[in-house]
Amino acid sequence: MCTAGGGRLDPDTYASPGSFDAARLAAGAGLTAVTALRAGHGDAAFCAVRPPGHHASATESMGFCMISNVAVVAASLADEGERVMVLDYDAHHGNGTQAVFYGDPRVLFVSYHQWPLYPGTGRVQETGIDAGAGTTLNIPLPAGATGDIYLRAFDEIVAPVAERFAPTWVIVSAGFDAHRDDPLTDMGLAAGDYGPLTARVLALVPAGRRLVMLEGGYDLDALTSCSAEVMRQLAGLTGSAAARGIRSSGDAEGPTSAGPGFDAVDAVARHWHQQGWL
Ligand SMILES: [Zn+2]
């Protein structure tokens, strides 16, 4: 289709003549990053790729996504015997990544997302099937949810589930459209929320096994400041950015709190308790 000049893959997703080449580069970036990390070239990697990937399944492109970038690298790692945790904090549910690993016990998929919102999946009850039961964790949150809600969900649900799963690699599906300035969603995060959240998940595995891949994010200033905040965490620069001469609005834009979502977190915890997984 791209060779023929491009067109619409679905009502949201326009492909140009260069889109397929860009998508292949994005999908391969995670594999390149893993090779570099294993060679000792760094402690962590940030793949600043577009198009994003988390709405694409193994067979279908949708929602601005052509190939599931995170699923490509997660599947590669799992085939090598690794236990892979994917944390997706894009404001939309990562339905494509979930679909690829829904019955696969080697990959723990965790998604925070606004509910209700496109694409309409990601209910609390979607927890995996067959051998993959209990390795999909969905945390649907109401519009306006703030950083304290995300951290509470992490500490009370994500952390114990992850500890039981015992990942050997962590991949973050880093969409920044849960920022309060994003034009496509209604969540309440600020740049300063992404540092603590990302730090918590990265700490689950040793340095050299940490990969972050860009997903959505449609306010370009927010995309810049949130990416910078996450890269500061990857680089271990958790002190004052200003003192280190690093430009980051994460300092000026501190963590948020007091938004809605406590009941939603309780509902997830209750369901996982009932299943005996928490
Ligand atoms: Zn998104």
Side-chain angles (χ1 to χ4, degrees), residues 54 90-92 177:
H54 73 153
D90 187 284
H92 301 93
D177 46 8

Side-chain angles (χ1 to χ4, degrees), residues 102-175:
Y102 207 53
D104 190 337
R106 306 169 304 169
V107 177
L108 171 63
F109 175 68
V110 180
S111 179
Y112 289 91
H113 43 274
Q114 181 178 327
W115 181 269
L117 190 66
Y118 180 90
T121 51
R123 290 175 175 80
V124 176
Q125 293 78 12
E126 294 170 28
T127 52
I129 52 168
D130 301 331
T135 60
T136 293
L137 169 55
N138 281 299
I139 307 170
L141 297 172
T146 41
D148 55 340
I149 299 292
Y150 279 68
L151 295 183
R152 178 168 179 243
F154 193 96
D155 294 341
E156 295 186 6
I157 306 169
V158 179
V161 168
E163 277 160 25
R164 181 174 57 88
F165 179 78
T168 58
W169 275 80
V170 163
I171 305 172
V172 180
S173 249

Side-chain angles (χ1 to χ4, degrees), residues 52 54-55 63-65 88-93 117-118 175-178 182 184-185 215-218:
H54 73 153
H55 293 310
F64 310 159
C65 301
D88 185 330
Y89 53 56
D90 187 284
H92 301 93
H93 179 237
L117 190 66
Y118 180 90
F176 297 116
D177 46 8
D182 194 274
L184 297 192
T185 77
E215 297 283 0
Y218 307 100

Side-chain angles (χ1 to χ4, degrees), residues 211-261:
L211 176 61
V212 178
M213 298 192 78
L214 186 63
E215 297 283 0
Y218 307 100
D219 179 275
L220 295 184
D221 289 335
L223 186 62
T224 303
S225 56
C226 294
S227 298
E229 188 68 18
V230 166
M231 279 188 274
R232 284 178 58 208
Q233 290 294 334
L234 296 181
L237 304 176
T238 52
S240 162
R244 295 171 181 271
I246 299 165
R247 181 178 163 276
S248 167
S249 65
D251 282 350
E253 204 179 270
T256 58
S257 60

